[in-house]
Amino acid sequence: MHIVVCKDYEEMSRRAAEIVAEQIKKRPDGLISFPGGDTPLGMVHVFADMVNEGKVDISRTHYVSLDEWVGLSNEDEGSCGLFNQQNLLSRLQHPFAGTHIINGAAEDIESERVALNDYISQYGPLDVSVLGIGMNGHLGFNENGVDFDLDAHIIPLSETTLKVMTKYFGEKFHPTQGISQGIRQIMAAKTVILIANGAHKAEILKKAVHGPVTNEVPASVLQNHPNCYVVADEAAAALL
Ligand code: PGA
């Protein structure tokens, strides 16, 4: 793992966006994926600015979202789809070659799962997978105990995620499941970038980076990835 310690959130966001851009320059026709959430907000904005300023050309690059709350569409506040739409896609003055944003409100969620696998098979494997880390060590909705061999899947939300989720949409929605890229697809990415900020992430980040590789801390699987960057601010990196 390449550990990159940044002085604050802004530097973490900029550094992560720069690594994504470097990879796209090497392989302009690859497939990339960003997470939703609080952590990636700054990175996504910096990345969109880089595209708009002509610093990176995404005209041949495809984009796929990482995960979604089952039941939420990309019009619902707090959904990963809306995050993607508002913070990335609508900001871009030069679009991706193609995008696939998971629809958690699809009537047939199984077909949505298959469509996610199909998109990654068609344009992948992922060139760059950017990930946040949950308070329980989840990656996307690969929750504690997840099977590392899965591709896209639908999974019950863990207790920790059920507690944390109100920060995204209050009491308005009560999802119980997530739909997510699987660990197998994440581990097949040529470059993985795990981003984390804030003292509240220090303990779980330490477990992911230095603890045993176990599906009880899904992010620990990244210790086995040949090209994984951990880009963290000083507070999140304090115990590394
Ligand atoms: P956060 O979520 O970026 O909002 O902290 C991270 C995650 O749960 O993956």
Side-chain angles (χ1 to χ4, degrees), residues 148-203:
F148 284 166
D149 287 331
L150 288 178
D151 284 328
H153 59 283
I154 292 150
I155 188 168
L157 301 174
S158 73
E159 263 176 49
T160 310
T161 302
L162 290 170
K163 272 190 213 132
V164 170
M165 71 184 183
T166 54
K167 77 170 178 162
Y168 302 114
F169 37 73
E171 293 299 326
K172 199 165 168 202
F173 302 108
H174 296 95
T176 57
Q177 294 180 305
I179 174 170
S180 181
Q181 289 176 28
I183 295 291
R184 213 153 73 92
Q185 291 159 322
I186 291 169
M187 288 299 280
K190 294 189 185 76
T191 301
V192 172
I193 306 169
L194 182 69
I195 52 176
N197 72 286
H200 62 298
K201 292 284 175 75
E203 192 65 45

Short mmCIF file of all heavy atoms in Angstrom, two decimals, residues 148-203:
data_model
loop_
_atom_site.label_atom_id
_atom_site.label_comp_id
_atom_site.label_asym_id
_atom_site.label_seq_id
_atom_site.Cartn_x
_atom_site.Cartn_y
_atom_site.Cartn_z
N PHE A 148 -15.60 -12.08 -0.34
CA PHE A 148 -14.65 -11.35 -1.19
C PHE A 148 -14.72 -11.78 -2.66
O PHE A 148 -14.14 -11.13 -3.52
CB PHE A 148 -13.21 -11.56 -0.68
CG PHE A 148 -12.85 -10.77 0.56
CD1 PHE A 148 -11.69 -11.08 1.27
CD2 PHE A 148 -13.62 -9.72 1.01
CE1 PHE A 148 -11.32 -10.36 2.40
CE2 PHE A 148 -13.27 -8.98 2.14
CZ PHE A 148 -12.11 -9.31 2.85
N ASP A 149 -15.37 -12.90 -2.95
CA ASP A 149 -15.42 -13.40 -4.32
C ASP A 149 -16.61 -12.86 -5.12
O ASP A 149 -16.77 -13.19 -6.29
CB ASP A 149 -15.49 -14.93 -4.34
CG ASP A 149 -14.16 -15.54 -3.96
OD1 ASP A 149 -13.12 -14.89 -4.23
OD2 ASP A 149 -14.17 -16.63 -3.36
N LEU A 150 -17.43 -12.04 -4.50
CA LEU A 150 -18.64 -11.57 -5.19
C LEU A 150 -18.34 -10.46 -6.19
O LEU A 150 -17.47 -9.61 -5.95
CB LEU A 150 -19.66 -11.03 -4.18
CG LEU A 150 -20.38 -12.04 -3.29
CD1 LEU A 150 -21.31 -11.30 -2.33
CD2 LEU A 150 -21.17 -13.03 -4.13
N ASP A 151 -19.09 -10.47 -7.30
CA ASP A 151 -19.18 -9.31 -8.18
C ASP A 151 -20.32 -8.44 -7.64
O ASP A 151 -20.60 -8.46 -6.44
CB ASP A 151 -19.41 -9.77 -9.62
CG ASP A 151 -18.13 -10.32 -10.24
OD1 ASP A 151 -17.05 -9.82 -9.89
OD2 ASP A 151 -18.21 -11.22 -11.08
N ALA A 152 -21.01 -7.71 -8.50
CA ALA A 152 -22.09 -6.83 -8.03
C ALA A 152 -23.13 -7.65 -7.26
O ALA A 152 -23.47 -8.76 -7.67
CB ALA A 152 -22.75 -6.14 -9.22
N HIS A 153 -23.60 -7.10 -6.16
CA HIS A 153 -24.55 -7.85 -5.34
C HIS A 153 -25.43 -6.90 -4.52
O HIS A 153 -25.14 -5.70 -4.41
CB HIS A 153 -23.82 -8.82 -4.42
CG HIS A 153 -22.85 -8.16 -3.50
ND1 HIS A 153 -21.63 -7.70 -3.93
CD2 HIS A 153 -22.94 -7.84 -2.20
CE1 HIS A 153 -20.99 -7.14 -2.91
NE2 HIS A 153 -21.76 -7.19 -1.86
N ILE A 154 -26.46 -7.50 -3.98
CA ILE A 154 -27.41 -6.77 -3.12
C ILE A 154 -27.22 -7.34 -1.72
O ILE A 154 -27.13 -8.56 -1.55
CB ILE A 154 -28.84 -6.97 -3.65
CG1 ILE A 154 -28.95 -6.26 -5.00
CG2 ILE A 154 -29.88 -6.43 -2.67
CD1 ILE A 154 -29.91 -6.89 -5.95
N ILE A 155 -27.09 -6.46 -0.74
CA ILE A 155 -26.62 -6.91 0.57
C ILE A 155 -27.36 -6.15 1.67
O ILE A 155 -27.61 -4.95 1.52
CB ILE A 155 -25.07 -6.70 0.65
CG1 ILE A 155 -24.47 -7.33 1.91
CG2 ILE A 155 -24.69 -5.26 0.55
CD1 ILE A 155 -22.93 -7.39 1.88
N PRO A 156 -27.72 -6.82 2.77
CA PRO A 156 -28.34 -6.09 3.88
C PRO A 156 -27.34 -5.09 4.47
O PRO A 156 -26.14 -5.38 4.54
CB PRO A 156 -28.65 -7.19 4.91
CG PRO A 156 -28.52 -8.48 4.20
CD PRO A 156 -27.60 -8.26 3.03
N LEU A 157 -27.83 -3.93 4.87
CA LEU A 157 -26.95 -2.91 5.47
C LEU A 157 -26.59 -3.35 6.89
O LEU A 157 -27.43 -3.89 7.61
CB LEU A 157 -27.66 -1.56 5.49
CG LEU A 157 -28.08 -1.04 4.10
CD1 LEU A 157 -28.91 0.23 4.23
CD2 LEU A 157 -26.84 -0.79 3.24
N SER A 158 -25.34 -3.10 7.26
CA SER A 158 -24.89 -3.47 8.61
C SER A 158 -25.48 -2.51 9.64
O SER A 158 -25.96 -1.42 9.30
CB SER A 158 -23.36 -3.40 8.68
OG SER A 158 -22.97 -2.05 8.69
N GLU A 159 -25.40 -2.90 10.89
CA GLU A 159 -25.91 -2.03 11.97
C GLU A 159 -25.24 -0.67 11.96
O GLU A 159 -25.88 0.35 12.14
CB GLU A 159 -25.63 -2.69 13.32
CG GLU A 159 -26.82 -3.46 13.86
CD GLU A 159 -26.47 -4.18 15.14
OE1 GLU A 159 -25.90 -3.53 16.05
OE2 GLU A 159 -26.75 -5.39 15.20
N THR A 160 -23.93 -0.66 11.73
CA THR A 160 -23.20 0.62 11.72
C THR A 160 -23.71 1.50 10.59
O THR A 160 -23.97 2.69 10.79
CB THR A 160 -21.68 0.39 11.52
OG1 THR A 160 -21.26 -0.60 12.44
CG2 THR A 160 -20.90 1.65 11.71
N THR A 161 -23.87 0.93 9.41
CA THR A 161 -24.34 1.72 8.27
C THR A 161 -25.76 2.24 8.54
O THR A 161 -26.07 3.40 8.23
CB THR A 161 -24.30 0.86 6.98
OG1 THR A 161 -22.96 0.41 6.79
CG2 THR A 161 -24.76 1.66 5.77
N LEU A 162 -26.59 1.41 9.16
CA LEU A 162 -27.96 1.86 9.47
C LEU A 162 -27.94 3.06 10.41
O LEU A 162 -28.78 3.95 10.33
CB LEU A 162 -28.77 0.71 10.08
CG LEU A 162 -29.12 -0.44 9.12
CD1 LEU A 162 -29.70 -1.63 9.88
CD2 LEU A 162 -30.09 0.02 8.05
N LYS A 163 -26.95 3.09 11.31
CA LYS A 163 -26.84 4.22 12.25
C LYS A 163 -26.30 5.47 11.54
O LYS A 163 -26.80 6.57 11.73
CB LYS A 163 -25.86 3.86 13.39
CG LYS A 163 -26.54 3.18 14.55
CD LYS A 163 -25.58 3.09 15.74
CE LYS A 163 -25.86 1.81 16.51
NZ LYS A 163 -24.66 1.03 16.81
N VAL A 164 -25.29 5.26 10.72
CA VAL A 164 -24.60 6.39 10.07
C VAL A 164 -25.48 7.03 8.99
O VAL A 164 -25.40 8.22 8.72
CB VAL A 164 -23.25 5.91 9.46
CG1 VAL A 164 -22.63 6.98 8.58
CG2 VAL A 164 -22.28 5.51 10.56
N MET A 165 -26.39 6.24 8.38
CA MET A 165 -27.04 6.70 7.15
C MET A 165 -27.94 7.92 7.33
O MET A 165 -28.17 8.65 6.37
CB MET A 165 -27.83 5.57 6.49
CG MET A 165 -29.07 5.15 7.20
SD MET A 165 -29.78 3.74 6.32
CE MET A 165 -31.26 3.48 7.29
N THR A 166 -28.41 8.18 8.55
CA THR A 166 -29.29 9.34 8.72
C THR A 166 -28.56 10.64 8.38
O THR A 166 -29.20 11.65 8.09
CB THR A 166 -29.86 9.43 10.15
OG1 THR A 166 -28.77 9.39 11.05
CG2 THR A 166 -30.83 8.30 10.44
N LYS A 167 -27.24 10.63 8.41
CA LYS A 167 -26.51 11.86 8.06
C LYS A 167 -26.71 12.22 6.59
O LYS A 167 -26.51 13.35 6.18
CB LYS A 167 -25.02 11.75 8.41
CG LYS A 167 -24.19 10.93 7.47
CD LYS A 167 -22.70 11.09 7.78
CE LYS A 167 -21.87 10.22 6.86
NZ LYS A 167 -20.48 10.59 6.78
N TYR A 168 -27.08 11.24 5.76
CA TYR A 168 -27.26 11.52 4.34
C TYR A 168 -28.68 11.99 4.01
O TYR A 168 -28.87 12.82 3.14
CB TYR A 168 -26.95 10.27 3.50
CG TYR A 168 -25.56 9.72 3.69
CD1 TYR A 168 -25.37 8.47 4.27
CD2 TYR A 168 -24.43 10.44 3.30
CE1 TYR A 168 -24.10 7.94 4.45
CE2 TYR A 168 -23.16 9.93 3.48
CZ TYR A 168 -23.00 8.68 4.05
OH TYR A 168 -21.74 8.16 4.23
N PHE A 169 -29.67 11.41 4.68
CA PHE A 169 -31.04 11.79 4.30
C PHE A 169 -32.01 11.82 5.47
O PHE A 169 -33.22 11.67 5.30
CB PHE A 169 -31.59 10.90 3.17
CG PHE A 169 -31.16 9.46 3.25
CD1 PHE A 169 -31.69 8.62 4.20
CD2 PHE A 169 -30.22 8.97 2.37
CE1 PHE A 169 -31.29 7.30 4.28
CE2 PHE A 169 -29.81 7.64 2.44
CZ PHE A 169 -30.35 6.81 3.39
N GLY A 170 -31.49 12.02 6.70
CA GLY A 170 -32.34 12.15 7.87
C GLY A 170 -33.24 10.94 8.05
O GLY A 170 -32.82 9.80 7.84
N GLU A 171 -34.49 11.19 8.40
CA GLU A 171 -35.44 10.09 8.65
C GLU A 171 -36.33 9.85 7.42
O GLU A 171 -37.30 9.10 7.49
CB GLU A 171 -36.31 10.43 9.87
CG GLU A 171 -35.55 10.46 11.18
CD GLU A 171 -34.91 9.11 11.53
OE1 GLU A 171 -35.49 8.06 11.20
OE2 GLU A 171 -33.80 9.11 12.11
N LYS A 172 -36.01 10.53 6.32
CA LYS A 172 -36.90 10.47 5.16
C LYS A 172 -36.99 9.08 4.53
O LYS A 172 -38.05 8.64 4.10
CB LYS A 172 -36.38 11.47 4.12
CG LYS A 172 -37.40 11.87 3.09
CD LYS A 172 -36.93 13.11 2.35
CE LYS A 172 -37.81 13.31 1.13
NZ LYS A 172 -37.15 14.13 0.13
N PHE A 173 -35.85 8.39 4.46
CA PHE A 173 -35.83 7.05 3.85
C PHE A 173 -35.31 6.04 4.87
O PHE A 173 -34.51 6.39 5.74
CB PHE A 173 -34.90 7.03 2.63
CG PHE A 173 -35.28 8.01 1.57
CD1 PHE A 173 -34.51 9.14 1.35
CD2 PHE A 173 -36.41 7.81 0.78
CE1 PHE A 173 -34.86 10.06 0.38
CE2 PHE A 173 -36.75 8.72 -0.20
CZ PHE A 173 -35.98 9.84 -0.40
N HIS A 174 -35.75 4.82 4.75
CA HIS A 174 -35.27 3.77 5.65
C HIS A 174 -34.82 2.54 4.85
O HIS A 174 -35.42 1.47 4.97
CB HIS A 174 -36.36 3.39 6.66
CG HIS A 174 -36.70 4.52 7.57
ND1 HIS A 174 -37.75 5.38 7.34
CD2 HIS A 174 -36.09 4.97 8.69
CE1 HIS A 174 -37.77 6.31 8.28
NE2 HIS A 174 -36.78 6.08 9.11
N PRO A 175 -33.80 2.72 4.02
CA PRO A 175 -33.33 1.56 3.26
C PRO A 175 -32.77 0.49 4.18
O PRO A 175 -32.26 0.81 5.27
CB PRO A 175 -32.24 2.14 2.36
CG PRO A 175 -31.81 3.39 3.00
CD PRO A 175 -32.95 3.90 3.79
N THR A 176 -32.86 -0.74 3.77
CA THR A 176 -32.31 -1.85 4.56
C THR A 176 -31.26 -2.63 3.78
O THR A 176 -30.59 -3.49 4.33
CB THR A 176 -33.43 -2.84 4.97
OG1 THR A 176 -34.07 -3.29 3.77
CG2 THR A 176 -34.45 -2.17 5.88
N GLN A 177 -31.15 -2.30 2.47
CA GLN A 177 -30.20 -3.03 1.63
C GLN A 177 -29.40 -2.05 0.77
O GLN A 177 -29.87 -0.94 0.47
CB GLN A 177 -30.93 -3.96 0.67
CG GLN A 177 -31.66 -5.10 1.34
CD GLN A 177 -32.35 -5.95 0.29
OE1 GLN A 177 -33.13 -5.46 -0.51
NE2 GLN A 177 -32.04 -7.24 0.29
N GLY A 178 -28.24 -2.49 0.35
CA GLY A 178 -27.45 -1.73 -0.61
C GLY A 178 -27.19 -2.58 -1.85
O GLY A 178 -27.24 -3.80 -1.79
N ILE A 179 -26.92 -1.90 -2.96
CA ILE A 179 -26.46 -2.60 -4.17
C ILE A 179 -25.08 -2.03 -4.46
O ILE A 179 -24.87 -0.81 -4.39
CB ILE A 179 -27.45 -2.43 -5.37
CG1 ILE A 179 -26.86 -3.04 -6.64
CG2 ILE A 179 -27.87 -0.99 -5.58
CD1 ILE A 179 -27.87 -3.14 -7.79
N SER A 180 -24.14 -2.91 -4.75
CA SER A 180 -22.74 -2.47 -4.77
C SER A 180 -21.90 -3.28 -5.74
O SER A 180 -22.13 -4.47 -5.93
CB SER A 180 -22.17 -2.65 -3.35
OG SER A 180 -20.83 -2.22 -3.29
N GLN A 181 -20.90 -2.62 -6.30
CA GLN A 181 -19.82 -3.38 -6.94
C GLN A 181 -19.25 -4.33 -5.88
O GLN A 181 -19.21 -4.00 -4.69
CB GLN A 181 -18.69 -2.45 -7.38
CG GLN A 181 -19.01 -1.56 -8.56
CD GLN A 181 -17.85 -0.61 -8.85
OE1 GLN A 181 -16.69 -0.91 -8.57
NE2 GLN A 181 -18.16 0.54 -9.42
N GLY A 182 -18.77 -5.47 -6.31
CA GLY A 182 -18.21 -6.43 -5.37
C GLY A 182 -16.71 -6.28 -5.20
O GLY A 182 -16.04 -5.60 -5.99
N ILE A 183 -16.20 -6.93 -4.17
CA ILE A 183 -14.76 -6.86 -3.88
C ILE A 183 -13.94 -7.41 -5.05
O ILE A 183 -12.87 -6.92 -5.36
CB ILE A 183 -14.44 -7.65 -2.58
CG1 ILE A 183 -15.12 -7.00 -1.36
CG2 ILE A 183 -12.93 -7.78 -2.37
CD1 ILE A 183 -14.57 -5.66 -0.94
N ARG A 184 -14.49 -8.42 -5.73
CA ARG A 184 -13.74 -8.99 -6.85
C ARG A 184 -13.49 -7.93 -7.94
O ARG A 184 -12.41 -7.85 -8.53
CB ARG A 184 -14.50 -10.18 -7.44
CG ARG A 184 -13.58 -11.26 -7.98
CD ARG A 184 -14.28 -12.59 -7.93
NE ARG A 184 -15.30 -12.66 -8.96
CZ ARG A 184 -15.09 -13.14 -10.19
NH1 ARG A 184 -13.88 -13.55 -10.53
NH2 ARG A 184 -16.06 -13.20 -11.05
N GLN A 185 -14.52 -7.11 -8.19
CA GLN A 185 -14.38 -6.07 -9.22
C GLN A 185 -13.43 -4.96 -8.75
O GLN A 185 -12.64 -4.42 -9.54
CB GLN A 185 -15.76 -5.49 -9.55
CG GLN A 185 -16.63 -6.51 -10.29
CD GLN A 185 -18.10 -6.23 -10.19
OE1 GLN A 185 -18.60 -5.80 -9.15
NE2 GLN A 185 -18.83 -6.50 -11.28
N ILE A 186 -13.51 -4.65 -7.45
CA ILE A 186 -12.62 -3.62 -6.89
C ILE A 186 -11.17 -4.11 -6.93
O ILE A 186 -10.26 -3.38 -7.32
CB ILE A 186 -13.07 -3.28 -5.45
CG1 ILE A 186 -14.42 -2.54 -5.47
CG2 ILE A 186 -12.00 -2.47 -4.72
CD1 ILE A 186 -15.09 -2.39 -4.12
N MET A 187 -10.97 -5.36 -6.55
CA MET A 187 -9.60 -5.90 -6.50
C MET A 187 -9.01 -6.07 -7.91
O MET A 187 -7.79 -6.14 -8.07
CB MET A 187 -9.57 -7.24 -5.76
CG MET A 187 -9.78 -7.09 -4.26
SD MET A 187 -8.51 -6.10 -3.44
CE MET A 187 -7.19 -7.31 -3.28
N ALA A 188 -9.88 -6.14 -8.92
CA ALA A 188 -9.40 -6.27 -10.31
C ALA A 188 -8.99 -4.91 -10.89
O ALA A 188 -8.44 -4.86 -11.99
CB ALA A 188 -10.48 -6.91 -11.17
N ALA A 189 -9.29 -3.83 -10.16
CA ALA A 189 -8.93 -2.50 -10.67
C ALA A 189 -7.41 -2.37 -10.72
O ALA A 189 -6.71 -2.87 -9.85
CB ALA A 189 -9.49 -1.41 -9.75
N LYS A 190 -6.92 -1.67 -11.74
CA LYS A 190 -5.46 -1.53 -11.87
C LYS A 190 -4.92 -0.64 -10.75
O LYS A 190 -3.85 -0.88 -10.21
CB LYS A 190 -5.11 -0.96 -13.24
CG LYS A 190 -5.47 -1.92 -14.36
CD LYS A 190 -4.91 -1.46 -15.71
CE LYS A 190 -5.39 -2.38 -16.82
NZ LYS A 190 -6.81 -2.15 -17.19
N THR A 191 -5.69 0.40 -10.41
CA THR A 191 -5.29 1.29 -9.32
C THR A 191 -6.49 1.49 -8.39
O THR A 191 -7.60 1.74 -8.86
CB THR A 191 -4.86 2.67 -9.87
OG1 THR A 191 -3.76 2.47 -10.77
CG2 THR A 191 -4.43 3.62 -8.77
N VAL A 192 -6.25 1.35 -7.10
CA VAL A 192 -7.29 1.63 -6.11
C VAL A 192 -6.81 2.80 -5.25
O VAL A 192 -5.63 2.87 -4.88
CB VAL A 192 -7.56 0.40 -5.21
CG1 VAL A 192 -8.49 0.76 -4.07
CG2 VAL A 192 -8.15 -0.74 -6.04
N ILE A 193 -7.71 3.73 -4.99
CA ILE A 193 -7.38 4.87 -4.13
C ILE A 193 -8.40 4.90 -2.99
O ILE A 193 -9.59 5.13 -3.21
CB ILE A 193 -7.44 6.20 -4.91
CG1 ILE A 193 -6.56 6.12 -6.17
CG2 ILE A 193 -7.01 7.37 -4.02
CD1 ILE A 193 -6.77 7.29 -7.14
N LEU A 194 -7.93 4.64 -1.78
CA LEU A 194 -8.80 4.70 -0.60
C LEU A 194 -8.59 6.06 0.05
O LEU A 194 -7.46 6.40 0.40
CB LEU A 194 -8.43 3.58 0.37
CG LEU A 194 -9.29 3.48 1.63
CD1 LEU A 194 -10.71 3.02 1.29
CD2 LEU A 194 -8.67 2.51 2.64
N ILE A 195 -9.66 6.82 0.17
CA ILE A 195 -9.53 8.16 0.76
C ILE A 195 -10.22 8.18 2.12
O ILE A 195 -11.25 7.52 2.32
CB ILE A 195 -10.08 9.27 -0.17
CG1 ILE A 195 -11.51 8.98 -0.63
CG2 ILE A 195 -9.18 9.48 -1.36
CD1 ILE A 195 -12.13 10.10 -1.47
N ALA A 196 -9.64 8.93 3.05
CA ALA A 196 -10.24 9.03 4.40
C ALA A 196 -9.82 10.34 5.03
O ALA A 196 -8.69 10.79 4.85
CB ALA A 196 -9.76 7.87 5.26
N ASN A 197 -10.74 10.94 5.75
CA ASN A 197 -10.39 12.16 6.47
C ASN A 197 -11.10 12.18 7.82
O ASN A 197 -12.16 11.57 8.00
CB ASN A 197 -10.76 13.41 5.67
CG ASN A 197 -12.25 13.65 5.60
OD1 ASN A 197 -12.97 12.94 4.89
ND2 ASN A 197 -12.74 14.61 6.36
N GLY A 198 -10.50 12.87 8.75
CA GLY A 198 -11.11 13.08 10.06
C GLY A 198 -10.69 12.05 11.09
O GLY A 198 -10.46 10.88 10.77
N ALA A 199 -10.62 12.51 12.36
CA ALA A 199 -10.17 11.65 13.46
C ALA A 199 -11.10 10.46 13.66
O ALA A 199 -10.66 9.39 14.11
CB ALA A 199 -10.09 12.49 14.73
N HIS A 200 -12.38 10.61 13.30
CA HIS A 200 -13.32 9.50 13.49
C HIS A 200 -13.00 8.30 12.60
O HIS A 200 -13.49 7.20 12.87
CB HIS A 200 -14.77 9.97 13.25
CG HIS A 200 -15.04 10.46 11.87
ND1 HIS A 200 -14.39 11.54 11.30
CD2 HIS A 200 -15.87 9.98 10.91
CE1 HIS A 200 -14.83 11.71 10.07
NE2 HIS A 200 -15.73 10.79 9.81
N LYS A 201 -12.17 8.49 11.59
CA LYS A 201 -11.81 7.37 10.70
C LYS A 201 -10.46 6.74 11.09
O LYS A 201 -10.05 5.74 10.49
CB LYS A 201 -11.75 7.84 9.25
CG LYS A 201 -13.10 8.25 8.64
CD LYS A 201 -13.95 7.06 8.29
CE LYS A 201 -15.33 7.41 7.80
NZ LYS A 201 -15.38 7.92 6.45
N ALA A 202 -9.77 7.32 12.08
CA ALA A 202 -8.39 6.87 12.38
C ALA A 202 -8.35 5.41 12.81
O ALA A 202 -7.51 4.63 12.33
CB ALA A 202 -7.77 7.77 13.44
N GLU A 203 -9.24 5.02 13.70
CA GLU A 203 -9.22 3.65 14.24
C GLU A 203 -9.50 2.62 13.16
O GLU A 203 -8.78 1.62 13.03
CB GLU A 203 -10.27 3.58 15.37
CG GLU A 203 -10.19 2.35 16.22
CD GLU A 203 -8.91 2.26 17.04
OE1 GLU A 203 -8.49 3.27 17.66
OE2 GLU A 203 -8.32 1.16 17.03
#
